[in-house]
Amino acid sequence: VAPVDAEIVSMAESLGWDPAAIYDYVKNNVETEWYWGCIKGAKEALKQGAGNDCDQAALLVALLRASGYPARYVRGVIEFYPGLENAEKLTGVEGGRSIAEFFHKAGIPYSKVMSGGVIENIQIEHVWVEAYLPYTNYRGVVIDDKGKRWLGLDTSIKPAGYEYAQAEDIPEGFDLASVRNAYLQADRPETPLGFLRTELEVALDQQESGNTYQDLLRTREMLPEKLGILPSTLQFDTVAVTSEFSEIPGDLVHDVHIVATTLQGDVLLDVTLGAERLSNRSVALYYEPETVEDQQIINSWGDLDNTPAYLVRLRPVLEVDGERVAVGPEGMAMGSSAMLTVE
């Protein structure tokens, strides 16, 4: 999740191996997304410029370790400071009930802080970092090694917050359900979002409102805060520290379980991959001849489409970005039905 490899070392070097510069870089260049547990890991958070608390913590730990500074993870419960308005500023969601529903849908454990029957604040489970850094001379700007201490650091709760731009309404009469159904009715090269964008652009042209697709998006801009030094305190109230660890534990790391079976329940392929290995990558499942003999039969008929189904057997192959990562040990007769489960 937090490898110290060439990409991480190169980034740490570009930041001068400086803890304060590393902290400022992650805080101001990695957008905060809201989901539970590590999905991307350090390298993908760096590559995509986005990640949640756990993924940003992994990136911060990797960069600090690459620079020679011990770092560990802290897991606990935090409360937004100075209050609910900060949660609204960070999520773009207004109102205590709506924010609670937001965290519920994101899968993030939360609790409400009530006062007089009103939601006054929100507490959430959170992951941040502690690093052993020179602090006396001066707050992470390494002049010498004096005054080292374990210092709490977090980059996902952005102190300056975000500035939001309002979005225009989608064209009147535009039916999202119909677009979904149209997309699923055919094998399409574009993604669902790409197909939706095309349909919306057609509707906007017909409406002649002057709006573009970008006008329909509620965008936000991160407000930078470049201190040049490390903060003296965390930007939230710590309610509880539940654990500290040197590596992200398994219960915080997402895995993807992919199973291909026949309709009779016979397993053709069963593989579990870390989510960070699949994040932002092309994943494909296809079928290839089970044996050399099957391939020879297909060749004798010209190609697979011309080959009688009863003559050959096929086995499933899973590819990630063109790399074969799993091959089913056995196959099934061509033309048989199979079921794919991803969880």
Side-chain angles (χ1 to χ4, degrees), residues 129-147:
V129 173
E130 284 184 349
Y132 192 58
L133 301 169
Y135 193 73
T136 301
N137 196 11
Y138 177 70
R139 289 176 63 174
V141 179
V142 183
I143 299 174
D144 54 45
D145 286 340
K146 293 180 181 179

Side-chain angles (χ1 to χ4, degrees), residues 151-279:
L151 183 67
L153 299 171
D154 179 86
T155 60
S156 65
I157 305 296
K158 310 297 183 184
Y162 293 86
E163 187 175 84
Y164 293 87
Q166 293 300 317
E168 298 291 337
D169 291 334
I170 64 174
E172 186 176 350
F174 188 83
D175 189 353
L176 291 171
S178 296
V179 174
R180 176 200 61 200
N181 294 338
Y183 180 82
L184 296 174
Q185 285 173 359
D187 184 13
R188 302 183 185 278
E190 66 266 54
T191 65
L193 184 58
F195 182 76
L196 173 62
R197 175 171 184 164
T198 299
E199 294 297 304
L200 278 170
E201 287 174 341
V202 170
L204 289 169
D205 286 342
Q206 293 174 346
Q207 191 183 58
E208 297 182 349
S209 64
N211 291 330
T212 66
Y213 175 77
Q214 293 298 326
D215 295 328
L216 307 182
L217 304 179
R218 185 169 187 256
T219 59
R220 68 178 186 177
E221 180 180 354
M222 187 193 310
L223 301 177
E225 182 195 58
K226 296 184 179 180
L227 298 176
I229 56 177
L230 294 177
S232 58
T233 60
L234 290 164
Q235 54 268 41
F236 46 75
D237 289 330
T238 303
V239 178
V241 172
T242 55
S243 58
E244 297 178 346
F245 32 83
S246 59
E247 302 297 335
I248 297 291
D251 67 324
L252 276 176
V253 178
H254 287 267
D255 289 326
V256 179
H257 186 203
I258 301 172
V259 181
T261 64
T262 66
L263 294 183
Q264 291 72 38
D266 297 324
V267 177
L268 301 171
L269 181 145
D270 188 337
V271 62
T272 299
L273 300 172
E276 77 277 2
R277 191 172 178 182
L278 303 177
S279 178

